[in-house]
Amino acid sequence: MINRYSSPYPNYIHQLFVTPSKHLYVLKDRRLKWQDKAMEVQLDKVEEADKEHVVHYIVADHTSAAFYAELRTSKTLISPSEFLTRAWAKKTDFFFHGLPEQLIVPAAVSNKYPEINDWLEHLLVGLVPPPSGFYAGVHQVRNWEKDVANAVSFHDYLEKTPCTLDNLRPSIARMLQMANDSEINRPGIRMTRKQLWEMPTEDRPPIRVMG
């Protein structure tokens, strides 16, 4: 994740991504399709693109690399605040919750959704611009997209029915669990994302929840 910021405990800094897929898109019959050759598409132009792209919504904790994710398409976009409201809410079936003290928001997101600034200020969450040449966390987006692509392939093979975004949703919940239950790739650390996020840390304040 980011090594230019210091995050002493989980939920200190989160990273937000609203990223159009360069490989996954939706056909006219609603089937999900993978294209090996990357498609050039940017968030500010995704609604005008020739194809209906899958759009990844991801918020990741800087300290633990734990994350929550949802999928939409370029025709069913939601605001970052709607996504974050669910991501930061306490959930019965998933551990990730709580408002961070700061949120890193890429310029592409804040430019498309400028209302996020006032929304975060109201929640007392500091908005942190990404550093110059912001690439931190991109590997997490790529790994998540690979997980989604594999789930599409498995569905097509095992279910023998076309894979749409709607019938992929149960798999997304399982993929989130599996990804956060996997060990992170850091020197000297043999813990999962979930274990790191839940680990008691000195000076960690109580978790602030939505509502």
Side-chain angles (χ1 to χ4, degrees):
M1 303 288 285
I2 300 174
N3 56 21
R4 299 188 188 184
Y5 292 111
S6 173
S7 53
Y9 43 77
N11 281 8
Y12 183 77
I13 296 179
H14 285 181
Q15 295 174 260
L16 173 66
F17 299 94
V18 181
T19 307
S21 173
K22 296 181 182 296
H23 298 278
L24 277 169
Y25 64 97
V26 182
L27 298 173
K28 290 183 178 180
D29 62 4
R30 311 313 299 162
R31 285 182 297 145
L32 294 172
K33 178 73 173 179
W34 174 271
Q35 177 175 306
D36 287 334
K37 183 179 179 180
M39 298 172 280
E40 290 303 318
V41 59
Q42 303 298 325
L43 181 61
D44 62 338
K45 301 292 186 182
V46 69
E47 292 160 293
E48 305 164 13
D50 293 335
K51 289 182 170 62
E52 183 177 356
H53 292 261
V54 167
V55 179
H56 299 288
Y57 289 74
I58 300 173
V59 62
D61 176 58
H62 176 232
T63 302
S64 63
F67 71 100
Y68 173 81
E70 293 182 5
L71 298 182
R72 291 294 186 275
T73 78
S74 52
K75 291 186 178 180
T76 62
L77 295 176
I78 58 174
S79 67
S81 59
E82 181 180 340
F83 165 69
L84 290 170
T85 295
R86 283 192 292 275
W88 291 340
K90 194 170 179 67
K91 296 169 274 293
T92 59
D93 57 351
F94 194 62
F95 71 96
F96 191 98
H97 70 282
L99 282 76
E101 297 182 28
Q102 301 179 70
L103 179 68
I104 298 171
V105 181
V109 177
S110 57
N111 288 341
K112 186 173 180 65
Y113 301 100
E115 65 276 8
I116 194 174
N117 298 337
D118 290 341
W119 185 75
L120 291 172
E121 183 178 357
H122 175 73
L123 293 173
L124 303 179
V125 175
L127 190 151
V128 181
S132 178
F134 179 59
Y135 291 103
V138 170
H139 68 283
Q140 193 154 9
V141 178
R142 290 174 179 167
N143 289 342
W144 175 245
E145 175 150 279
K146 289 177 183 176
D147 289 343
V148 173
N150 288 335
V152 172
S153 297
F154 286 142
H155 184 279
D156 289 342
Y157 179 75
L158 296 175
E159 302 296 333
K160 308 300 182 185
T161 58
C163 185
T164 67
L165 192 56
D166 284 340
N167 58 32
L168 186 66
R169 294 194 193 282
S171 299
I172 292 173
R174 291 193 296 271
M175 287 188 299
L176 268 176
Q177 296 281 4
M178 292 176 62
N180 281 280
D181 284 336
S182 63
E183 290 187 356
I184 65 171
N185 184 23
R186 289 182 186 171
I189 296 179
R190 296 292 299 274
M191 299 179 71
T192 68
R193 293 175 170 88
K194 182 180 179 183
Q195 287 172 334
L196 272 175
W197 188 89
E198 294 177 335
M199 185 174 64
T201 306
E202 187 177 359
D203 297 329
R204 181 178 182 176
I207 294 176
R208 290 199 301 142
V209 295
M210 294 292 296

